[in-house]
Amino acid sequence: MNTIPLNELLKKIKLLLEMLSSKPRIGGLRITDSAVQFMLLGRNGDMIESAFALPLPPGVVRDGKIADRGEFARVASLLKEYVHHNDKSRPVRIVVGLPPAVTYVQSFSIPNVGSDRLPRTASLNLRMISPIPAERAYMSWHLLQETEDTYELLGVFAEQKVV
């Protein structure tokens, strides 16, 4: 009879459970005027499994906006091959960092209206201070500080067509 040590059996069971897990792989993508940079987190999410950068020819991306779609698509195809080189069966969730040239950040204060009314009041104020027409913008806010009288918020804006 062939026996497997308990610790080896547990490792194999853990590996099997990880393979069957629905936890998606997670990566980070940054696009600059000169390169596409990518990092893939390990299965635990605490270490980097792989990282690389693909150079972009001059003029493909200008001021954070794609100027040459065909060349950008070619580089994006290469990126996909690098990301899926070992494991094409599992999807990868990617967080994309937008370049500073296409995002706007502004802090603002509103009266302390209570936590139940904060989301609605913050959204209304975002629409009013947006540097982009609200119907053409993605916008969000984050609570920085709360006092008895006010909320200090940080607003972020980006054009929908750029995103």
Side-chain angles (χ1 to χ4, degrees), residues 54-109:
L54 299 173
L56 288 171
V60 173
V61 176
R62 286 190 206 117
D63 298 323
K65 298 177 183 174
I66 298 171
D68 182 342
R69 286 178 176 252
E71 186 61 22
F72 187 82
R74 185 189 68 77
V75 173
S77 293
L78 286 173
L79 172 70
K80 185 177 179 182
E81 288 302 315
Y82 279 113
V83 171
H84 289 297
H85 74 282
N86 287 336
D87 189 357
K88 294 183 182 204
S89 64
R90 295 193 61 200
V92 177
R93 306 276 187 209
I94 298 177
V95 176
V96 179
L98 296 175
V102 299
T103 57
Y104 305 92
V105 179
Q106 182 176 339
S107 64
F108 62 102
S109 296

Side-chain angles (χ1 to χ4, degrees), residues 101-157:
V102 299
T103 57
Y104 305 92
V105 179
Q106 182 176 339
S107 64
F108 62 102
S109 296
I110 60 173
N112 188 333
V113 293
S115 60
D116 57 325
R117 294 177 57 199
L118 175 60
R120 203 170 112 192
T121 305
S123 295
L124 174 64
N125 279 269
L126 275 177
R127 293 178 66 81
M128 293 174 64
I129 67 169
S130 177
I132 307 163
E135 60 278 355
R136 294 194 336 240
Y138 286 124
M139 56 184 80
S140 187
W141 59 273
H142 178 77
L143 177 64
L144 296 175
Q145 184 177 5
E146 175 183 357
T147 68
E148 194 174 301
D149 299 325
T150 62
Y151 288 115
E152 181 73 25
L153 305 172
L154 183 67
V156 181
F157 312 88

